[in-house]
Coordinates of all heavy atoms in Angstrom, one line a residue:
M832 N -11.2 -59.2 54.2 CA -10.3 -60.1 54.8 C -9.7 -59.5 56.1 O -9.2 -58.4 56.0 CB -9.2 -60.5 53.9 CG -8.2 -61.5 54.4 SD -7.0 -62.0 53.2 CE -5.6 -61.5 54.0
K833 N -9.8 -60.2 57.2 CA -9.2 -59.7 58.5 C -7.8 -60.3 58.5 O -7.6 -61.4 58.3 CB -10.1 -60.3 59.6 CG -11.4 -59.6 59.8 CD -12.0 -60.3 61.1 CE -13.4 -59.6 61.4 NZ -13.9 -60.2 62.5
M834 N -6.9 -59.4 58.9 CA -5.6 -59.7 59.3 C -5.5 -59.9 60.8 O -6.0 -59.1 61.6 CB -4.6 -58.8 58.9 CG -4.4 -58.7 57.4 SD -3.2 -57.4 56.8 CE -1.7 -58.1 57.6
N835 N -4.8 -60.9 61.3 CA -4.6 -61.2 62.7 C -3.4 -60.3 63.1 O -2.7 -59.7 62.3 CB -4.4 -62.6 62.9 CG -5.6 -63.4 62.9 OD1 -6.7 -62.9 63.1 ND2 -5.4 -64.7 62.5
S836 N -3.3 -60.2 64.4 CA -2.2 -59.4 65.0 C -0.9 -60.2 65.0 O -0.9 -61.4 64.7 CB -2.6 -59.1 66.4 OG -1.6 -58.3 67.0
V837 N 0.1 -59.6 65.4 CA 1.4 -60.1 65.4 C 1.4 -61.2 66.4 O 2.1 -62.3 66.4 CB 2.5 -59.1 65.7 CG1 2.4 -58.5 67.1 CG2 3.9 -59.8 65.7
G838 N 0.6 -61.2 67.5 CA 0.5 -62.2 68.5 C -1.0 -62.7 68.6 O -1.9 -61.8 68.6
E839 N -1.3 -63.9 68.5 CA -2.6 -64.5 68.5 C -3.4 -64.0 69.6 O -4.6 -63.7 69.5 CB -2.6 -66.0 68.5 CG -3.9 -66.6 68.2 CD -4.6 -66.3 66.9 OE1 -3.8 -66.2 65.9 OE2 -5.8 -66.1 66.9
E840 N -2.8 -63.8 70.8 CA -3.5 -63.3 71.9 C -4.0 -61.8 71.8 O -4.9 -61.4 72.5 CB -2.7 -63.4 73.2 CG -1.3 -62.7 73.2 CD -0.2 -63.5 72.7 OE1 -0.3 -64.2 71.8 OE2 0.9 -63.4 73.4
C841 N -3.5 -61.1 70.8 CA -3.9 -59.8 70.6 C -4.9 -59.7 69.4 O -5.4 -58.5 69.2 CB -2.6 -58.9 70.2 SG -1.4 -59.0 71.5
S842 N -5.2 -60.6 68.7 CA -6.1 -60.6 67.6 C -7.5 -60.0 67.9 O -8.0 -59.3 67.1 CB -6.2 -62.0 66.8 OG -5.0 -62.2 66.2
D843 N -8.1 -60.5 69.0 CA -9.4 -60.0 69.3 C -9.4 -58.4 69.5 O -10.3 -57.7 69.0 CB -10.0 -60.7 70.5 CG -10.5 -62.1 70.2 OD1 -10.5 -62.5 69.0 OD2 -10.6 -62.9 71.2
L844 N -8.4 -58.0 70.2 CA -8.3 -56.5 70.4 C -8.0 -55.8 69.1 O -8.6 -54.8 68.8 CB -7.1 -56.2 71.4 CG -7.3 -56.4 72.8 CD1 -6.0 -56.3 73.6 CD2 -8.4 -55.4 73.3
K845 N -7.2 -56.4 68.2 CA -7.0 -55.8 66.9 C -8.3 -55.7 66.1 O -8.6 -54.6 65.5 CB -5.9 -56.5 66.1 CG -5.7 -55.9 64.8 CD -4.8 -56.8 63.9 CE -4.6 -56.2 62.4 NZ -5.7 -55.8 61.7
H846 N -9.1 -56.7 66.1 CA -10.2 -56.7 65.4 C -11.3 -55.7 65.9 O -12.0 -55.0 65.2 CB -10.9 -58.1 65.2 CG -10.1 -59.1 64.5 ND1 -9.5 -58.8 63.3 CD2 -9.6 -60.3 64.8 CE1 -8.8 -59.9 62.9 NE2 -8.8 -60.7 63.8
S847 N -11.3 -55.6 67.3 CA -12.2 -54.6 67.9 C -11.7 -53.3 67.5 O -12.6 -52.4 67.3 CB -12.2 -54.8 69.4 OG -12.8 -56.0 69.8
Y848 N -10.4 -52.9 67.6 CA -10.0 -51.7 67.2 C -10.2 -51.3 65.7 O -10.7 -50.2 65.4 CB -8.5 -51.5 67.5 CG -7.9 -50.2 67.0 CD1 -8.3 -49.0 67.7 CD2 -7.1 -50.1 65.9 CE1 -7.8 -47.7 67.2 CE2 -6.7 -48.9 65.4 CZ -7.0 -47.7 66.1 OH -6.6 -46.6 65.6
D849 N -9.9 -52.2 64.9 CA -10.2 -52.0 63.5 C -11.7 -51.6 63.1 O -11.9 -50.7 62.4 CB -9.8 -53.3 62.6 CG -8.3 -53.5 62.5 OD1 -7.6 -52.6 62.9 OD2 -8.0 -54.6 62.1
K850 N -12.6 -52.4 63.8 CA -14.0 -52.1 63.6 C -14.4 -50.7 64.2 O -15.1 -50.0 63.5 CB -14.8 -53.2 64.3 CG -16.3 -53.1 64.2 CD -17.0 -54.2 64.9 CE -18.5 -54.0 64.7 NZ -19.3 -55.1 65.4
C851 N -13.9 -50.5 65.3 CA -14.1 -49.2 66.0 C -13.6 -48.1 65.1 O -14.3 -47.0 64.9 CB -13.6 -49.1 67.4 SG -13.9 -47.6 68.3
F852 N -12.3 -48.1 64.7 CA -11.7 -47.1 63.9 C -12.4 -46.8 62.6 O -12.7 -45.7 62.3 CB -10.2 -47.5 63.7 CG -9.6 -46.4 62.8 CD1 -9.0 -45.2 63.5 CD2 -9.5 -46.6 61.5 CE1 -8.4 -44.3 62.6 CE2 -8.9 -45.6 60.7 CZ -8.3 -44.4 61.3
N853 N -12.7 -47.9 61.9 CA -13.4 -47.7 60.7 C -14.8 -47.1 60.7 O -15.2 -46.2 59.9 CB -13.5 -49.1 59.9 CG -12.3 -49.7 59.4 OD1 -11.3 -48.9 59.1 ND2 -12.1 -51.0 59.3
K854 N -15.5 -47.4 61.8 CA -16.8 -46.7 62.1 C -16.6 -45.3 62.3 O -17.3 -44.4 61.8 CB -17.5 -47.5 63.2 CG -18.8 -46.9 63.5 CD -19.6 -47.7 64.6 CE -20.9 -47.0 64.8 NZ -21.8 -47.7 65.7
W855 N -15.7 -44.9 63.3 CA -15.3 -43.6 63.7 C -14.9 -42.8 62.4 O -15.4 -41.7 62.2 CB -14.3 -43.5 64.7 CG -13.7 -42.2 65.0 CD1 -14.2 -41.2 65.7 CD2 -12.6 -41.7 64.5 NE1 -13.5 -40.0 65.7 CE2 -12.4 -40.3 64.9 CE3 -11.5 -42.2 63.6 CZ2 -11.3 -39.6 64.5 CZ3 -10.4 -41.4 63.3 CH2 -10.3 -40.1 63.8
F856 N -14.1 -43.4 61.7 CA -13.4 -42.7 60.5 C -14.5 -42.3 59.5 O -14.6 -41.2 59.0 CB -12.3 -43.5 59.9 CG -11.6 -42.7 58.9 CD1 -10.6 -41.8 59.1 CD2 -11.8 -43.0 57.5 CE1 -9.9 -41.2 58.2 CE2 -11.1 -42.3 56.6 CZ -10.2 -41.4 56.9
A857 N -15.4 -43.3 59.2 CA -16.4 -43.1 58.2 C -17.6 -42.3 58.7 O -18.0 -41.4 58.0 CB -16.9 -44.5 57.7
E858 N -18.1 -42.5 59.9 CA -19.2 -41.8 60.4 C -19.0 -40.5 61.1 O -19.9 -39.7 61.1 CB -19.9 -42.7 61.3 CG -20.5 -44.0 60.6 CD -21.1 -45.0 61.5 OE1 -21.4 -44.7 62.8 OE2 -21.5 -46.1 61.2
K859 N -17.8 -40.2 61.6 CA -17.5 -39.0 62.2 C -16.4 -38.2 61.5 O -16.7 -37.0 61.1 CB -17.2 -39.3 63.7 CG -18.4 -39.8 64.4 CD -18.0 -39.9 65.9 CE -19.2 -40.3 66.8 NZ -18.9 -40.5 68.2
F860 N -15.2 -38.8 61.5 CA -14.1 -37.9 61.0 C -14.3 -37.4 59.6 O -14.1 -36.2 59.3 CB -12.8 -38.8 61.1 CG -11.6 -38.0 60.7 CD1 -11.0 -37.2 61.6 CD2 -11.0 -38.2 59.4 CE1 -9.9 -36.4 61.2 CE2 -10.0 -37.5 59.1 CZ -9.3 -36.6 60.0
L861 N -14.7 -38.3 58.7 CA -14.8 -37.8 57.3 C -16.0 -36.8 57.1 O -16.0 -36.1 56.2 CB -15.1 -39.0 56.4 CG -13.9 -39.9 56.1 CD1 -14.3 -41.0 55.2 CD2 -12.8 -39.2 55.5
K862 N -16.9 -36.8 58.1 CA -18.0 -35.8 58.0 C -17.7 -34.5 58.9 O -18.5 -33.6 59.0 CB -19.3 -36.5 58.5 CG -19.7 -37.6 57.6 CD -20.9 -38.3 58.1 CE -21.3 -39.4 57.1 NZ -22.4 -40.3 57.7
G863 N -16.5 -34.5 59.4 CA -16.1 -33.3 60.2 C -16.7 -33.2 61.5 O -16.8 -32.2 62.1
L864 N -17.3 -34.4 62.0 CA -18.0 -34.3 63.3 C -17.1 -34.6 64.5 O -17.6 -34.3 65.6 CB -19.2 -35.5 63.3 CG -20.2 -35.2 62.2 CD1 -21.1 -36.3 62.1 CD2 -20.9 -33.9 62.4
S865 N -15.9 -35.1 64.3 CA -15.0 -35.4 65.4 C -13.6 -35.4 64.9 O -13.2 -36.0 63.9 CB -15.4 -36.7 66.0 OG -14.5 -37.1 67.0
S866 N -12.7 -34.8 65.8 CA -11.2 -35.0 65.5 C -10.7 -35.8 66.5 O -9.6 -36.2 66.5 CB -10.7 -33.5 65.5 OG -10.7 -33.0 66.7
E867 N -11.4 -36.2 67.5 CA -11.0 -37.1 68.6 C -11.2 -38.5 68.1 O -12.2 -38.9 67.7 CB -11.8 -36.8 69.9 CG -11.5 -35.5 70.6 CD -10.1 -35.5 71.2 OE1 -9.7 -36.6 71.8 OE2 -9.4 -34.5 71.2
D868 N -10.2 -39.4 68.4 CA -10.4 -40.8 68.0 C -11.1 -41.4 69.2 O -10.6 -41.7 70.2 CB -9.0 -41.4 67.8 CG -9.1 -42.9 67.4 OD1 -10.2 -43.5 67.4 OD2 -8.0 -43.4 67.0
D869 N -12.4 -41.8 68.9 CA -13.2 -42.5 69.9 C -12.7 -43.9 70.3 O -13.2 -44.4 71.3 CB -14.7 -42.7 69.4 CG -15.4 -41.4 69.1 OD1 -14.9 -40.3 69.6 OD2 -16.4 -41.4 68.4
C870 N -11.7 -44.4 69.7 CA -11.2 -45.7 69.9 C -10.0 -45.7 70.6 O -9.2 -46.8 70.6 CB -11.1 -46.5 68.5 SG -12.6 -46.3 67.5
K871 N -9.5 -44.6 71.2 CA -8.2 -44.5 71.8 C -7.9 -45.6 72.8 O -6.9 -46.2 73.0 CB -8.0 -43.1 72.4 CG -6.6 -42.9 72.9 CD -6.4 -41.4 73.2 CE -5.0 -41.2 73.7 NZ -4.7 -39.8 73.9
N872 N -9.0 -45.8 73.7 CA -8.8 -46.8 74.8 C -8.6 -48.2 74.2 O -7.8 -48.9 74.8 CB -10.0 -46.8 75.7 CG -10.1 -45.5 76.5 OD1 -9.2 -44.8 76.7 ND2 -11.3 -45.2 77.0
I873 N -9.3 -48.6 73.2 CA -9.1 -49.9 72.6 C -7.7 -50.0 72.0 O -6.9 -51.0 72.1 CB -10.2 -50.2 71.5 CG1 -11.6 -50.2 72.1 CG2 -9.9 -51.6 70.8 CD1 -12.7 -50.3 71.2
F874 N -7.3 -48.9 71.3 CA -5.9 -48.9 70.7 C -4.9 -49.0 71.8 O -3.9 -49.7 71.6 CB -5.7 -47.6 69.9 CG -4.3 -47.6 69.3 CD1 -4.0 -48.2 68.2 CD2 -3.4 -46.7 70.0 CE1 -2.7 -48.2 67.8 CE2 -2.1 -46.6 69.4 CZ -1.7 -47.4 68.3
T875 N -5.0 -48.3 72.9 CA -4.0 -48.4 73.9 C -3.9 -49.8 74.5 O -2.8 -50.3 74.7 CB -4.4 -47.4 75.1 OG1 -4.5 -46.1 74.5 CG2 -3.3 -47.4 76.2
S876 N -5.0 -50.5 74.6 CA -5.0 -51.9 75.1 C -4.3 -52.8 74.0 O -3.5 -53.7 74.4 CB -6.4 -52.4 75.4 OG -7.0 -51.7 76.5
Y877 N -4.7 -52.6 72.8 CA -4.0 -53.4 71.8 C -2.6 -53.2 71.7 O -1.8 -54.0 71.6 CB -4.8 -53.1 70.4 CG -4.1 -53.7 69.2 CD1 -4.0 -55.1 69.2 CD2 -3.5 -52.9 68.1 CE1 -3.3 -55.7 68.1 CE2 -3.0 -53.6 67.2 CZ -2.8 -54.9 67.0 OH -2.2 -55.5 66.0
Q878 N -2.2 -51.9 71.7 CA -0.8 -51.5 71.6 C 0.0 -52.2 72.8 O 1.1 -52.7 72.6 CB -0.6 -50.0 71.7 CG 0.9 -49.5 71.6 CD 0.9 -48.0 71.6 OE1 0.3 -47.4 72.5 NE2 1.6 -47.4 70.7
S879 N -0.5 -52.2 74.1 CA 0.1 -52.8 75.1 C 0.2 -54.3 75.0 O 1.3 -54.8 75.3 CB -0.7 -52.5 76.4 OG -0.2 -53.1 77.5
C880 N -0.8 -54.9 74.4 CA -0.7 -56.4 74.1 C 0.4 -56.6 73.1 O 1.2 -57.6 73.3 CB -2.1 -56.8 73.6 SG -2.1 -58.6 73.4
V881 N 0.5 -55.9 72.0 CA 1.5 -56.1 71.0 C 2.9 -56.0 71.6 O 3.8 -56.7 71.3 CB 1.3 -55.2 69.8 CG1 2.5 -55.2 68.9 CG2 0.0 -55.5 69.0
K882 N 3.1 -54.9 72.4 CA 4.4 -54.7 73.1 C 4.8 -55.9 73.9 O 6.0 -56.3 73.8 CB 4.4 -53.4 73.9 CG 4.5 -52.1 73.0 CD 4.5 -50.9 73.8 CE 4.5 -49.7 72.9 NZ 4.6 -48.5 73.6
K883 N 3.8 -56.5 74.6 CA 4.2 -57.7 75.5 C 4.6 -58.8 74.5 O 5.6 -59.6 74.9 CB 3.0 -58.1 76.3 CG 2.7 -57.2 77.4 CD 1.5 -57.5 78.2 CE 1.0 -56.6 79.2 NZ -0.2 -56.9 79.8
V884 N 3.9 -59.0 73.4 CA 4.3 -60.1 72.5 C 5.7 -59.9 71.9 O 6.5 -60.8 71.8 CB 3.2 -60.2 71.3 CG1 3.7 -61.2 70.3 CG2 1.9 -60.7 71.9
L885 N 5.9 -58.6 71.4 CA 7.3 -58.3 70.8 C 8.3 -58.5 71.9 O 9.4 -59.2 71.5 CB 7.3 -56.9 70.4 CG 6.4 -56.5 69.2 CD1 6.5 -55.1 68.9 CD2 6.7 -57.4 68.0
K886 N 8.2 -58.1 73.1 CA 9.1 -58.4 74.2 C 9.3 -59.9 74.4 O 10.5 -60.3 74.5 CB 8.6 -57.6 75.5 CG 9.7 -57.6 76.5 CD 9.3 -56.8 77.7 CE 10.4 -56.8 78.8 NZ 10.0 -56.0 79.9
S887 N 8.2 -60.6 74.4 CA 8.4 -62.1 74.6 C 9.1 -62.8 73.5 O 9.7 -63.8 73.6 CB 7.0 -62.7 74.8 OG 6.3 -62.9 73.6
Q888 N 9.2 -62.2 72.3 CA 9.9 -62.6 71.2 C 11.2 -62.0 71.0 O 11.9 -62.1 70.0 CB 9.0 -62.5 69.9 CG 7.8 -63.3 69.9 CD 6.9 -63.0 68.7 OE1 7.3 -62.3 67.8 NE2 5.7 -63.7 68.7
N889 N 11.6 -61.3 72.0 CA 12.9 -60.6 72.0 C 13.1 -59.6 70.9 O 14.3 -59.5 70.3 CB 14.1 -61.5 72.0 CG 14.2 -62.4 73.3 OD1 13.9 -62.0 74.4 ND2 14.4 -63.7 73.1
I890 N 12.1 -58.9 70.5 CA 12.2 -57.9 69.6 C 12.3 -56.5 70.2 O 11.5 -56.2 71.2 CB 10.9 -57.9 68.6 CG1 10.8 -59.2 67.9 CG2 10.9 -56.8 67.7 CD1 9.5 -59.4 67.1
N891 N 13.3 -55.8 69.8 CA 13.5 -54.5 70.5 C 12.5 -53.4 70.1 O 12.4 -53.0 69.0 CB 15.0 -54.0 70.0 CG 15.4 -52.7 70.7 OD1 14.5 -52.0 71.3 ND2 16.6 -52.4 70.6
I892 N 11.6 -53.1 71.1 CA 10.6 -52.2 70.9 C 11.1 -50.9 70.4 O 10.4 -50.1 69.6 CB 9.7 -52.1 72.1 CG1 9.0 -53.4 72.3 CG2 8.6 -51.0 72.0 CD1 8.3 -53.6 73.7
A893 N 12.2 -50.4 71.0 CA 12.7 -49.1 70.5 C 13.0 -49.1 69.0 O 12.8 -48.0 68.3 CB 14.0 -48.8 71.3
E894 N 13.4 -50.2 68.5 CA 13.7 -50.2 67.0 C 12.4 -50.3 66.3 O 12.4 -49.6 65.2 CB 14.5 -51.5 66.7 CG 16.0 -51.4 67.0 CD 16.7 -50.5 66.1 OE1 16.5 -50.4 64.8 OE2 17.4 -49.6 66.7
V895 N 11.4 -50.8 66.8 CA 10.1 -50.9 66.1 C 9.5 -49.4 66.0 O 8.8 -49.1 65.1 CB 9.1 -51.8 66.8 CG1 7.7 -51.7 66.2 CG2 9.6 -53.3 66.7
E896 N 9.6 -48.7 67.1 CA 9.1 -47.4 67.2 C 9.9 -46.3 66.7 O 9.4 -45.1 66.6 CB 8.7 -47.1 68.7 CG 7.6 -48.0 69.3 CD 7.4 -47.7 70.8 OE1 8.3 -47.2 71.5 OE2 6.2 -48.0 71.2
K897 N 11.0 -46.5 66.2 CA 12.0 -45.6 65.8 C 11.5 -44.9 64.5 O 11.1 -45.5 63.6 CB 13.3 -46.3 65.4 CG 14.5 -45.4 65.0 CD 15.7 -46.3 64.9 CE 16.9 -45.5 64.5 NZ 18.0 -46.4 64.3
D898 N 11.6 -43.5 64.5 CA 11.2 -42.8 63.4 C 12.3 -42.8 62.3 O 13.4 -42.4 62.7 CB 10.8 -41.4 63.7 CG 9.5 -41.3 64.5 OD1 8.6 -42.1 64.2 OD2 9.4 -40.4 65.3
V899 N 12.0 -43.2 61.1 CA 13.1 -43.2 60.0 C 12.7 -42.4 58.8 O 13.5 -41.9 58.1 CB 13.5 -44.6 59.6 CG1 14.2 -45.3 60.8 CG2 12.4 -45.4 59.1
L900 N 11.3 -42.2 58.6 CA 10.8 -41.4 57.5 C 11.4 -40.0 57.5 O 11.4 -39.4 58.6 CB 9.4 -41.4 57.4 CG 8.7 -42.7 57.2 CD1 7.1 -42.6 57.2 CD2 9.1 -43.2 55.7
G901 N 12.0 -39.6 56.4 CA 12.5 -38.2 56.4 C 13.9 -38.1 57.0 O 14.4 -37.0 57.1
T902 N 14.5 -39.2 57.3 CA 15.9 -39.2 57.8 C 16.8 -39.9 56.9 O 16.4 -40.5 56.0 CB 16.0 -39.9 59.2 OG1 15.8 -41.3 59.0 CG2 14.9 -39.4 60.1
S903 N 18.1 -39.8 57.2 CA 19.1 -40.4 56.3 C 19.0 -42.0 56.4 O 19.5 -42.6 55.6 CB 20.5 -40.1 56.8 OG 20.7 -40.4 58.2
E904 N 18.3 -42.5 57.3 CA 18.1 -44.0 57.5 C 16.9 -44.5 56.6 O 16.7 -45.7 56.5 CB 17.9 -44.4 59.0 CG 19.0 -44.0 59.8 CD 18.7 -44.5 61.3 OE1 18.3 -45.6 61.5 OE2 18.9 -43.6 62.2
E905 N 16.0 -43.6 56.1 CA 14.9 -43.9 55.4 C 15.1 -45.0 54.3 O 14.4 -46.0 54.1 CB 14.2 -42.8 54.8 CG 12.9 -43.1 54.2 CD 12.1 -41.8 53.7 OE1 12.6 -40.8 53.9 OE2 11.1 -42.0 53.1
N906 N 16.1 -44.9 53.5 CA 16.4 -45.7 52.4 C 17.5 -46.8 52.5 O 17.9 -47.4 51.6 CB 16.7 -45.0 51.0 CG 15.4 -44.1 50.7 OD1 14.3 -44.5 50.7 ND2 15.7 -42.8 50.2
H907 N 17.8 -47.0 53.8 CA 18.9 -48.1 54.2 C 18.1 -49.3 54.7 O 17.2 -49.2 55.4 CB 19.8 -47.4 55.1 CG 20.6 -46.3 54.7 ND1 21.5 -45.7 55.4 CD2 20.6 -45.7 53.5 CE1 22.0 -44.7 54.7 NE2 21.5 -44.6 53.6
P908 N 18.7 -50.4 54.3 CA 18.2 -51.7 54.8 C 18.5 -51.8 56.3 O 19.5 -51.2 56.7 CB 18.9 -52.7 54.0 CG 20.1 -52.1 53.4 CD 19.8 -50.7 53.3
P909 N 17.7 -52.5 57.1 CA 17.9 -52.7 58.5 C 19.2 -53.4 58.6 O 19.6 -54.2 57.8 CB 16.7 -53.4 59.0 CG 16.0 -53.9 57.8 CD 16.5 -53.2 56.6
P910 N 19.8 -53.2 59.8 CA 21.1 -53.9 60.1 C 20.9 -55.4 60.2 O 19.9 -55.9 60.5 CB 21.6 -53.4 61.5 CG 20.3 -52.7 62.0 CD 19.4 -52.4 60.9

């Protein structure tokens, strides 16, 4: 089952990245043939698209990117 992106305009990029990543992971990374992510360019484009969608929906990107694992905020509900 394919999941779409947070923004419909980003779904094609997400599906391209998912396909590329799964192939790289199975065919190279798990076999020790590569530690470099061959899909970095697609991911960067997808990430940029998602950030534009979040911004257009007035979602604070800094809050989305905030690291909370391993901090005192980890088990607290969002404000």
Side-chain angles (χ1 to χ4, degrees):
M832 182 175 121
K833 287 186 182 181
M834 288 184 63
N835 287 329
S836 181
V837 65
E839 188 60 38
E840 60 267 44
C841 302
S842 288
D843 287 345
L844 280 169
K845 180 191 180 302
H846 298 310
S847 292
Y848 174 71
D849 288 347
K850 183 179 178 181
C851 181
F852 177 85
N853 289 335
K854 181 177 179 174
W855 167 80
F856 189 77
E858 295 178 7
K859 292 186 179 180
F860 184 79
L861 288 178
K862 295 177 181 177
L864 300 175
S865 173
S866 61
E867 290 285 323
D868 184 351
D869 295 344
C870 309
K871 188 174 182 172
N872 291 337
I873 298 171
F874 177 76
T875 301
S876 296
Y877 173 57
Q878 184 180 47
S879 176
C880 185
V881 168
K882 285 181 179 182
K883 287 177 189 174
V884 169
L885 294 178
K886 188 174 183 178
S887 75
Q888 295 177 5
N889 296 318
I890 296 172
N891 184 343
I892 294 171
E894 281 294 312
V895 173
E896 293 180 332
K897 186 176 178 181
D898 289 327
V899 295
L900 292 178
T902 72
S903 61
E904 297 180 49
E905 182 175 1
N906 295 317
H907 294 184

